Amino acid sequence: MKILSSAHVHTTFCDGKTTAADMARTAYDMGFVSLGFTLHAAQTFDPAHCIDPSSEEDYKKEIRRLQQEYKGRMAIYLGIERDMLSCSDIKDYDYFIASVHYFTRHDGSHSGVDAPSGEMQKYVNECCGGDGLKMAKQYFTLFCDHVVRLSPNPDKEMWERIGLK
């Protein structure tokens, strides 16, 4: 038996190419049992890759609307992808995905973890002495610290909100 589901999709509210309504309709038509929307949380730099803080409430309203529209036919979840450097609060969401998309350089600027290879190599050379393994260890240390700080322990209210009492 094939079960279709995704817990990590981006829409036009951040850096996605499709609206939430179109994605939900397509997922439903394909037989998905659930769909979780996870916008890139707001941050104070690199606005092209995250939601504009002034649109975050609109995002929440749209996903909550879709939850009602598809109720009983396909589960829809309101999520957020919370980068280590994000400034959005996670409390109003059904779930979150912790992520690290940037390294902070010594001068306070940022280098994207998924930047083109030339930019990443420049970061490795300048900030890690040319040692790619050092950069990888730095990344996973940042990621683990971020997850622990966010403390992803769902409470009873969250389980009830998403229907998993």
Side-chain angles (χ1 to χ4, degrees):
M1 180 167 110
K2 182 167 81 170
I3 297 175
L4 299 174
S5 177
S6 179
H8 188 171
V9 298
H10 298 295
T11 71
T12 53
F13 279 104
C14 59
D15 61 348
K17 306 284 188 227
T18 307
T19 67
D22 286 344
M23 292 181 84
R25 184 174 29 263
T26 300
Y28 180 76
D29 290 347
M30 292 177 68
F32 274 56
V33 297
S34 65
L35 187 61
F37 292 95
T38 51
L39 65 76
H40 283 283
Q43 57 196 21
T44 59
F45 65 96
D46 199 9
H49 295 100
C50 66
I51 191 164
D52 182 310
S54 66
S55 299
E56 196 165 348
E57 286 306 313
D58 292 336
Y59 165 72
K60 292 175 188 177
K61 286 177 187 173
E62 174 63 1
I63 304 309
R64 294 290 185 214
R65 183 190 71 74
L66 290 169
Q67 286 176 325
Q68 291 307 307
E69 182 179 333
Y70 286 90
K71 190 173 187 169
R73 299 183 296 148
M74 177 176 70
I76 293 191
Y77 300 105
L78 172 64
I80 187 168
E81 184 174 353
R82 177 74 165 65
D83 186 83
M84 178 183 71
L85 300 175
S86 298
C87 54
S88 292
D89 194 342
I90 61 174
K91 70 177 165 75
D92 293 335
Y93 292 90
D94 298 334
Y95 71 104
F96 68 90
I97 295 172
S99 63
V100 173
H101 289 101
Y102 304 92
F103 290 113
T104 302
R105 295 171 159 273
H106 304 296
D107 65 0
S109 65
H110 301 95
S111 291
V113 170
D114 52 1
S117 60
E119 289 179 40
M120 279 307 311
Q121 189 60 56
K122 184 176 179 185
Y123 176 82
V124 169
N125 292 342
E126 292 175 2
C127 300
C128 300
D131 185 348
L133 183 56
K134 181 177 179 179
M135 187 267 314
K137 288 178 181 177
Q138 183 182 66
Y139 172 82
F140 285 108
T141 298
L142 289 170
F143 182 74
C144 289
D145 290 349
H146 177 48
V147 169
V148 169
R149 261 191 317 278
L150 285 178
S151 184
N153 296 313
D155 58 21
K156 181 181 176 192
E157 288 178 15
M158 189 212 82
W159 287 120
E160 289 173 353
R161 193 168 59 243
I162 64 174
L164 297 175
K165 302 175 193 174

